[in-house]
Amino acid sequence: MDNSPQHTLFDHLLELRDRILRMVLAVLIVFCSMVYFANDIYEYVSKPLLAVMPEGGQMIATDVASSFFAPFKLTMVLSLFVAMPYILYQVWAFIAPGLYQNEKRFVAPLLFGSSFLFYAGITFVYFVVFPLAFAFFTSVAPEGVNIATDISSYLNFVLKLFFAFGLAFEIPVIILLLCWTGFTDPQSLRAKRPYMIVGAFVIGMLLTPPDVISQTLLAVPMLLLFELGVFLAGIYQKKENEEDCSEEAKHE
């Protein structure tokens, strides 16, 4: 007889509410600890552009309150990024009771890997894409044009790229999930490689500003990460097949 407690839909909704509140609280705690340094954080994020600006170039604030709201907004988004591992842990803790033991072993590394890849995407765009893209933008300015970027426009630009590259770097995790659920398999993905190449450049065109450098710098890592995801999915499939054969051998 099963004596385990039976949870109703209302119980699950209460638990979901509690975990969402914990996520929000975690973001607020991180934000409160960082908001004092909001201007310093914005200055650090703006360094890639300021480093390549010509003599006399500077950033400006065209709106009355943008000098306050731009660093404030950046700090809030950064707080979400910093709290992401805890947020993913809360998601994991909510769904874990409904998973089998072998599924738990698979999902936990995926959550860790997704956090790492998201941070890797942000790091890549800051240290690789920004210096190249901003150097290109400032070098092609027409003669006599004084470069003075608005801080709100710059913030929207960098946040768009942060999210685009952070999500694009999740490709290996997405591929593993698709193969795990049986939606596809590594062999089918390898056969669709030419379409993936075209799709990577189309996505790069849609997610990045309309310049070839940003599009290429997003498309190429996406293709490499696609290959990594297919490789890892092949290892997972091989392991699953070996376990299935072992189980069949035990029953014979």
Side-chain angles (χ1 to χ4, degrees), residues 31 34-43 68 70-72 74-75:
F31 174 77
M34 297 171 61
V35 68
Y36 178 78
F37 307 99
N39 288 337
D40 297 325
I41 294 171
Y42 191 94
E43 180 182 352
F68 169 76
F72 185 89
L74 174 62
T75 306

Side-chain angles (χ1 to χ4, degrees), residues 46-112:
S46 63
K47 279 184 178 180
L49 176 61
L50 296 174
V52 297
M53 272 191 170
E55 188 71 25
Q58 61 181 347
M59 300 187 73
I60 61 174
T62 56
D63 293 330
V64 175
S66 60
S67 58
F68 169 76
F69 281 113
F72 185 89
K73 178 182 177 181
L74 174 62
T75 306
M76 177 59 75
V77 176
L78 184 61
S79 301
L80 178 64
F81 290 169
V82 173
M84 190 60 66
Y86 181 78
I87 292 174
L88 291 176
Y89 168 76
Q90 291 299 323
V91 174
W92 156 249
F94 179 73
I95 66 175
L99 300 176
Y100 295 107
Q101 192 62 37
N102 63 325
E103 294 174 334
K104 292 181 181 180
R105 293 200 310 267
F106 183 72
V107 172
L110 281 183
L111 292 178
F112 172 79

Side-chain angles (χ1 to χ4, degrees), residues 150-171:
D150 177 65
I151 61 174
S152 295
S153 299
Y154 177 79
L155 177 61
N156 293 333
F157 178 86
V158 299
L159 288 182
K160 181 179 180 180
L161 286 185
F162 279 155
F163 278 109
F165 278 80
L167 294 177
F169 270 58
E170 299 291 334
I171 288 176

Side-chain angles (χ1 to χ4, degrees), residues 129-159:
V129 178
F130 284 172
L132 293 175
F134 295 150
F136 171 75
F137 292 152
T138 55
S139 66
V140 298
E143 186 70 26
V145 174
N146 184 29
I147 299 177
T149 304
D150 177 65
I151 61 174
S152 295
S153 299
Y154 177 79
L155 177 61
N156 293 333
F157 178 86
V158 299
L159 288 182

